[in-house]
Amino acid sequence: IVDIQEISLVQYNYTGVVGFEDRKTVADINVPFTRKHFLVKYDGYIKGGIDFDEIDIEVFESRVSVRLPKPRIIDNVIDESSLVVYDESNNIFNPIKIEDYNDALIMEKAKMEQEAMEKGILDRVQSQATSLINTMVIDMGFEEIDISFK
């Protein structure tokens, strides 16, 4: 058991299809009857947030200064129960291995994380964090609030 001090503020849901194909080769020549392939659909999500243990707070009477860490990706999960195999080879000379599925899904997770970044997930996390901290500090009675990111 490990203590964590992070807060997820934004979730990006995704659905994807991954195709995989491989064949054995000798001297860059494809060996006949060794092609293996699969096509899999999956669902997943990416959570963005901040680490609370890196927050710096300074209080000056009715003014507070809050420095938050840069937003980051906290979690990237593919739901195993959502996996649907649409096509899969059954090749005795070059069988599909669990590692083939794992490697393909690892690459897909990285691709989806890049897509989420391009769509502004970290900007949205920064906006949500600012709004959340601002609301909390106003409720505490502070009149002047300075929120910034490291």
Side-chain angles (χ1 to χ4, degrees):
I1 298 175
V2 177
D3 294 334
I4 57 171
Q5 294 183 352
E6 59 191 20
I7 183 170
S8 296
L9 296 164
V10 177
Q11 181 169 307
Y12 174 79
N13 296 312
Y14 59 84
T15 297
V17 175
V18 60
F20 171 84
E21 183 175 324
D22 186 36
R23 62 182 74 228
K24 292 192 181 267
T25 59
V26 175
D28 291 333
I29 298 173
N30 291 333
V31 177
F33 308 112
T34 63
R35 180 178 174 260
K36 64 180 174 180
H37 65 277
F38 60 80
L39 186 64
V40 176
K41 178 186 166 287
Y42 62 90
D43 297 323
Y45 64 85
I46 295 171
K47 289 184 178 180
I50 60 171
D51 290 324
F52 262 33
D53 61 342
E54 295 180 24
I55 294 176
D56 296 324
I57 301 171
E58 293 182 41
V59 178
F60 310 96
E61 296 177 16
S62 64
R63 183 172 74 88
V64 65
S65 175
V66 181
R67 291 194 62 210
L68 300 170
K70 289 186 178 183
R72 68 179 186 86
I73 300 297
I74 290 179
D75 211 357
N76 186 350
V77 175
I78 290 180
D79 178 9
E80 294 89 7
S81 67
S82 74
L83 294 175
V84 178
V85 178
Y86 286 110
D87 187 23
E88 179 179 60
S89 64
N90 208 358
N91 188 321
I92 60 170
F93 299 113
N94 190 13
I96 294 175
K97 299 176 187 152
I98 291 295
E99 293 84 19
D100 296 329
Y101 286 106
N102 285 340
D103 292 345
L105 291 176
I106 287 169
M107 289 190 308
E108 283 295 299
K109 284 173 77 171
K111 182 175 123 184
M112 289 300 163
E113 193 168 307
Q114 183 61 36
E115 183 178 300
M117 300 281 264
E118 290 169 4
K119 290 187 176 184
I121 189 171
L122 296 183
D123 293 334
R124 183 80 184 269
V125 168
Q126 189 166 329
S127 173
Q128 287 291 95
T130 301
S131 178
L132 176 67
I133 297 297
N134 197 34
T135 300
M136 288 173 43
V137 172
I138 286 173
D139 288 346
M140 292 178 185
F142 289 98
E143 297 170 8
E144 264 187 77
I145 304 161
D146 176 37
I147 300 173
S148 60
F149 288 82
K150 298 178 185 178

